[in-house]
Amino acid sequence: MKGGHKKLFAWILAVLMIWPACFACSDSKSHTKGVYLLLDTSGTYKVELKKARALINYLLGTLQPGDTLAVGRIDTGSFSEKDIVAKVTFDDRPSVANNQKRAFMQKIDKFIKSSARSRYTDISGGLLQAIEYLNEVGPGSKYILIFSDLQEELAEGYVRDVPFQLSGFHVVALNVTKLRSDIRDPKNYMRRVEQWRQKTEKGGGTWRVINDLERLDAIFKD
Amino acid sequence: MDTTSILLQITPIPFLSIVIWGLLILAAMYLARKPFHRSVGALGRLVRNAMRLAAASVVQAEKRLETRNREVLLKAGLDHAERHLEREFDRISQAVNRDLESYPKLQRNLQETLIKLEEDYRSSTEIPQSLPDWVKVIEAIAKIKPNGDHMVANMLEEIHQTLAEQHKTALDRHRKDVAQRHGILSRMLPVWRGMHKTLEGLEKSISSLNLRAKRIDQYMDEYQETRRQTDTAYRTLSSSSLTQFFISGLVLLVAIGGAVINFNLIALPMSEMVGGASYIGPYKTSDVAGLVIICLEICTGLFLMESLRVTRLFPIIGSMDDRMRKNFFWIALGLLTILAGVESALAFMRDRIAADMEALRQTLAGVSPGSMATSIIPTVGQMVMGFILPFILTFVAIPLESFVASSRTVLGVVAAWSLRTVAFFLRLAGNLGFYLGRFLANLYDLLIFPALWLEGVVVRAMSRNNAKETEREQPPSVEDGQGYAPAAEGGKEVAE
């Protein structure tokens, strides 16, 4: 019996020691999230920006140490680093991450107060910028949140017929408001949303629309 | 056109086609009857024999397991009884050392007390001096009545005074002597009491030794019973083992609850130390680190209990020499205290991080963080809990040892029971296979009953003809009956 106990405990200890190592060897997948939020600052949508503050606060409360959050502006030419309003990769330590979240919140507040209306809406450029940024950061799962009415208006000379490489991306359209023309003819709205869904899915990404900002927890439900 | 239609068109009338096909199938089945019976019978026997063989093998394995279980249980019982006896002998040895080591001193004390008492007794026996005899003479003279002579009166007065003085002196001396005697006697009282107390202590020690001796007798009986490997001992040990299994399992469940609480106390602050974004497999490194710390605490607790010889999970620790074991104990205790301190600090850090997170959450929600409660009671409570839990987890070693020891018996019993069940089902399957074969043969006969009925009619007619021919060829005799025997046997054979 004594020998039996000894053997049993040797086994238990060996399993305890080997078990985490096995998992470490077998799984090298990153568990972090990368979120890029595109904020529409065009004339028709500027008034909705205050709602975006609540959305960003939700994201700050939900994201964990190691996750990445960036907020980009959709304006006349959104495919530019200059349009990234704020970006942060949260530190591994929760206390530092909390301070980073506070600083991020202040930056966003300043932006919402001081941002100017843009004449055009370059959603595709913003999307390309988001893809580029998130691919560079390389998180485990990538989310692009588009806070816009999805009505793209490109300025003259801007070419956006680049196919999106959205494999591994989750694209979520938030607060897609109805325009006056949509109220007259809902088909316009449906066509617009469908067009973006097709673009996303053609690029290999997943598409989702969340119009109710009380249901933000659905963003990360894969 | 499908196969059914083709089959039904062998004659212009479908019903006739069905009848012809039926007759053909019946004929084919009748012809295949004996091979079918043989095959089904062989298959049934094969299944039954195979299953019986398997069941016999399982039963044998079960018996071997039962024997092994019995051996293991009795060995464990023997170990247990030996341990009990060893401990009782240890205790009795300690009691004897403690109580009887001071016996010579006690005896000397008693002797001294007795000598003192004797001396006091002797001193107290000295009777105080009585009043002198001449007092009576003088008293008689003093009682003489004065007859008027002045000189006589003076003389008598002198005598009276002398007598009174002498009497007073004698009385004082007598009183002093008596008081001295009383003093000696009252000094004897505490000595008597002390002696009574000493004797009472002695009596207590002796009766405690008696009790221990009785307990040793009882353990000895149990030990001998186990050594004789009687059924009673086996049953007692088995039932005790089951009780131990359930009780220790329950206590272990409670301990697991404690470990989970402990884990929750340190998992969050561990992320501050090892980072909250790294993963080991699907688990956060901070969670794994917290778990490892708890496992280390439990292991240290096990070693601590082992070095105290409370448990015997690691015989190598128990068999160390006392000095080394003592060092081992202090090292384990030191490590455990350090771990408890670390955990207490982590609990404090957890409280701070949680408060910071809550403040951030409130800021994000637009609530002023100033409204948060700032009591230190939860912080202190968490720190105390973080410090105490590792020490409480130390005691897990005791139920763990019981659980491991009793689970061997319980697993053995369960395995034996499973083997018995398997053997039963194997036998059942064998018998079912055999009787299913017979049932199939009978069902087959039922399906071709018209052919069998026809066969019976033909056979009976043929045997009647044969009998008549035999009668014609041979004159009737007493042995006539024998002529029908083969026909009857043949009939039986067909019927089978």
Side-chain angles (χ1 to χ4, degrees):
Chain A
M1 279 296 275
K2 285 174 190 172
H5 286 163
K6 201 176 164 184
K7 272 185 191 169
L8 179 71
F9 273 91
W11 274 108
I12 292 171
L13 282 176
V15 168
L16 275 176
M17 281 189 262
I18 293 166
W19 170 67
C22 287
F23 277 113
C25 298
S26 64
D27 189 7
S28 57
K29 187 184 150 195
S30 172
H31 293 261
T32 54
K33 285 192 194 97
V35 181
Y36 195 104
L37 173 66
L38 287 165
L39 292 179
D40 192 343
T41 58
S42 65
T44 50
Y45 205 76
K46 176 77 169 52
V47 284
E48 300 288 329
L49 273 185
K50 279 181 187 168
K51 286 184 189 170
R53 192 204 301 256
L55 167 66
I56 292 166
N57 284 349
Y58 170 78
L59 291 173
L60 287 172
T62 311
L63 293 176
Q64 298 294 314
D67 292 346
T68 300
L69 175 64
V71 176
R73 183 173 48 205
I74 297 174
D75 55 10
T76 308
S78 312
F79 185 56
S80 161
E81 276 79 15
K82 284 178 191 168
D83 281 322
I84 299 176
V85 177
K87 59 182 177 182
V88 66
T89 297
F90 297 119
D91 195 86
D92 278 358
R93 287 164 297 170
S95 57
V96 180
N98 285 351
N99 290 335
Q100 286 174 314
K101 285 176 182 178
R102 285 191 183 95
F104 194 91
M105 199 171 66
Q106 282 170 1
K107 261 189 196 174
I108 294 298
D109 282 348
K110 208 181 280 177
F111 165 72
I112 288 171
K113 275 176 196 161
S114 62
S115 69
R117 289 168 190 244
S118 70
R119 290 183 64 190
Y120 296 95
T121 317
D122 176 18
I123 300 174
S124 300
L127 205 59
L128 285 169
Q129 182 61 43
I131 293 167
E132 193 186 88
Y133 177 77
L134 288 178
N135 279 339
E136 207 172 300
V137 174
S141 42
K142 301 164 191 166
Y143 294 85
I144 298 174
L145 314 180
I146 308 172
F147 193 76
S148 165
D149 53 15
L150 298 180
Q151 179 69 48
E152 189 166 50
E153 286 173 88
L154 292 173
E156 202 178 333
Y158 283 79
V159 181
R160 292 291 181 257
D161 56 356
V162 190
F164 300 122
Q165 297 295 325
L166 284 166
S167 177
F169 280 82
H170 304 281
V171 181
V172 186
L174 295 155
N175 194 38
V176 185
T177 50
K178 277 91 184 174
L179 305 171
R180 274 184 201 149
S181 57
D182 298 339
I183 297 165
R184 281 198 295 273
D185 182 4
K187 270 187 282 180
N188 287 336
Y189 174 81
M190 287 169 188
R191 203 177 300 127
R192 206 163 67 236
V193 173
E194 181 59 22
Q195 187 191 348
W196 279 105
R197 189 186 67 78
Q198 278 177 7
K199 271 186 187 178
T200 307
E201 288 180 356
K202 206 173 168 185
T206 63
W207 172 259
R208 200 182 308 158
V209 178
I210 300 170
N211 279 332
D212 182 4
L213 292 183
E214 299 291 313
R215 243 175 12 95
L216 289 174
D217 54 325
I219 293 174
F220 298 114
K221 278 182 188 163
D222 292 339
Chain B
M1 195 181 280
D2 60 350
T3 323
T4 322
S5 309
I6 296 168
L7 291 175
L8 290 177
Q9 281 177 2
I10 54 164
T11 61
I13 306 160
F15 179 72
L16 191 63
S17 302
I18 291 170
V19 170
I20 289 168
W21 276 117
L23 286 172
L24 283 172
I25 291 167
L26 203 65
M29 282 178 81
Y30 176 73
L31 290 173
R33 181 176 171 263
K34 274 188 180 171
F36 180 79
H37 274 213
R38 274 199 298 272
S39 316
V40 167
L43 186 70
R45 279 194 300 279
L46 181 78
V47 170
R48 186 175 65 172
N49 290 343
M51 292 296 157
R52 283 179 73 177
L53 204 65
S57 165
V58 170
V59 166
Q60 211 173 346
E62 187 236 324
K63 274 179 187 161
R64 271 206 300 273
L65 186 68
E66 196 87 46
T67 315
R68 178 79 189 127
N69 282 347
R70 195 184 165 97
E71 278 170 14
V72 167
L73 193 64
L74 288 169
K75 177 76 179 69
L78 216 57
D79 278 353
H80 194 66
E82 269 175 17
R83 213 161 139 183
H84 265 303
L85 273 172
E86 211 173 282
R87 280 206 182 151
E88 274 311 312
F89 274 124
D90 239 21
R91 279 175 194 155
I92 209 165
S93 146
Q94 277 171 12
V96 166
N97 278 342
R98 192 183 58 231
D99 298 334
L100 298 187
E101 201 176 41
S102 56
Y103 185 72
K105 195 182 162 190
L106 185 79
Q107 197 184 10
R108 201 169 57 241
N109 276 349
L110 278 172
Q111 269 176 354
E112 278 171 11
T113 314
L114 283 172
I115 289 164
K116 207 173 173 188
L117 279 172
E118 204 177 329
E119 278 171 6
D120 285 350
Y121 176 72
R122 270 186 202 149
S123 313
S124 66
T125 49
E126 284 172 15
I127 299 159
Q129 214 175 6
S130 57
L131 292 171
D133 292 340
W134 52 263
V135 173
K136 289 176 187 168
V137 178
I138 293 170
E139 200 177 4
I141 297 166
K143 277 179 184 169
I144 300 168
K145 288 183 179 170
N147 52 4
D149 190 350
H150 184 69
M151 203 176 135
V152 174
N154 277 345
M155 199 174 74
L156 284 174
E157 188 65 32
E158 284 283 324
I159 288 167
H160 180 74
Q161 273 176 8
T162 309
L163 181 67
E165 275 169 19
Q166 286 290 330
H167 183 70
K168 197 178 173 244
T169 312
L171 199 65
D172 284 347
R173 199 170 56 240
H174 183 76
R175 277 181 183 155
K176 201 178 162 189
D177 286 348
V178 170
Q180 207 174 356
R181 202 178 172 198
H182 278 179
I184 291 165
L185 285 172
S186 62
R187 268 206 314 276
M188 276 171 78
L189 195 67
V191 180
W192 273 116
R193 277 184 190 148
M195 203 168 147
H196 183 248
K197 206 173 166 185
T198 312
L199 286 172
E200 260 185 353
L202 196 67
E203 190 189 343
K204 209 183 261 179
S205 302
I206 298 292
S207 55
S208 153
L209 281 178
N210 263 340
L211 270 177
R212 288 196 191 288
K214 271 180 195 163
R215 208 175 292 164
I216 285 178
D217 279 351
Q218 193 187 330
Y219 287 139
M220 250 345 252
D221 286 346
E222 281 175 20
Y223 180 74
Q224 277 169 353
E225 187 93 1
T226 316
R227 267 198 85 180
R228 279 200 300 272
Q229 304 196 343
T230 58
D231 284 344
T232 321
Y234 176 70
R235 273 196 299 275
T236 313
L237 286 172
S238 186
S239 127
S240 153
S241 201
L242 278 172
T243 316
Q244 280 293 310
F245 179 78
F246 286 112
I247 290 172
S248 54
L250 198 70
V251 176
L252 277 183
L253 279 179
V254 174
I256 288 169
V260 169
I261 290 172
N262 210 358
F263 172 75
N264 281 321
L265 269 179
I266 62 170
L268 179 65
M270 280 309 282
S271 63
E272 198 68 25
M273 290 164 75
V274 296
S278 59
Y279 281 76
I280 295 176
Y283 306 103
K284 274 188 171 182
T285 310
S286 54
D287 290 353
V288 175
L291 201 68
V292 167
I293 284 196
I294 290 166
C295 289
L296 282 175
E297 283 168 2
I298 293 172
C299 290
T300 316
L302 287 181
F303 294 142
L304 192 79
M305 284 289 165
E306 205 67 30
S307 58
L308 282 171
R309 282 191 179 156
V310 175
T311 55
R312 289 184 180 189
L313 290 166
F314 302 97
I316 195 161
I317 298 175
S319 58
M320 280 176 183
D321 68 89
D322 279 358
R323 199 176 156 192
M324 195 181 259
R325 202 166 46 78
K326 212 175 268 179
N327 288 342
F328 197 79
F329 164 77
W330 286 113
I331 290 168
L333 187 66
L335 285 173
L336 196 65
T337 314
I338 291 168
L339 283 171
V342 167
E343 202 167 299
S344 185
L346 285 173
F348 176 74
M349 206 195 284
R350 182 192 178 277
D351 194 64
R352 288 280 165 270
I353 296 170
D356 189 34
M357 279 180 169
E358 189 53 36
L360 176 70
R361 235 172 262 144
Q362 292 199 356
T363 310
L364 293 173
V367 182
S368 166
S371 59
M372 277 172 64
T374 51
S375 168
I376 59 155
I377 295 171
T379 315
V380 174
Q382 285 184 38
M383 285 179 73
V384 170
M385 212 151 80
F387 192 79
I388 285 175
L389 277 173
F391 289 102
I392 294 174
L393 284 179
T394 302
F395 295 99
V396 166
I398 300 167
L400 185 71
E401 189 191 31
S402 297
F403 189 78
V404 170
S406 57
S407 59
R408 168 67 187 82
T409 313
V410 173
L411 284 178
V413 169
V414 170
W417 181 82
S418 308
L419 286 177
R420 217 173 298 144
T421 313
V422 168
F424 167 75
F425 279 110
L426 282 173
R427 271 197 220 109
L428 187 72
N431 282 336
L432 276 177
F434 181 70
Y435 286 108
L436 193 69
R438 290 180 75 169
F439 171 72
L440 281 176
N442 288 334
L443 191 69
Y444 191 90
D445 285 356
L446 188 69
L447 288 174
I448 58 164
F449 79 92
L452 291 179
W453 172 76
L454 199 65
E455 184 201 58
V457 170
V458 172
V459 167
R460 270 197 300 275
M462 279 171 71
S463 44
R464 262 201 301 274
N465 289 341
N466 283 345
K468 278 176 189 169
E469 276 172 22
T470 318
E471 265 178 38
R472 266 182 227 136
E473 283 168 12
Q474 290 177 0
S477 66
V478 182
E479 295 168 350
D480 270 355
Q482 285 174 3
Y484 292 102
E489 278 173 13
K492 266 184 193 173
E493 199 182 342
V494 170
E496 271 178 15

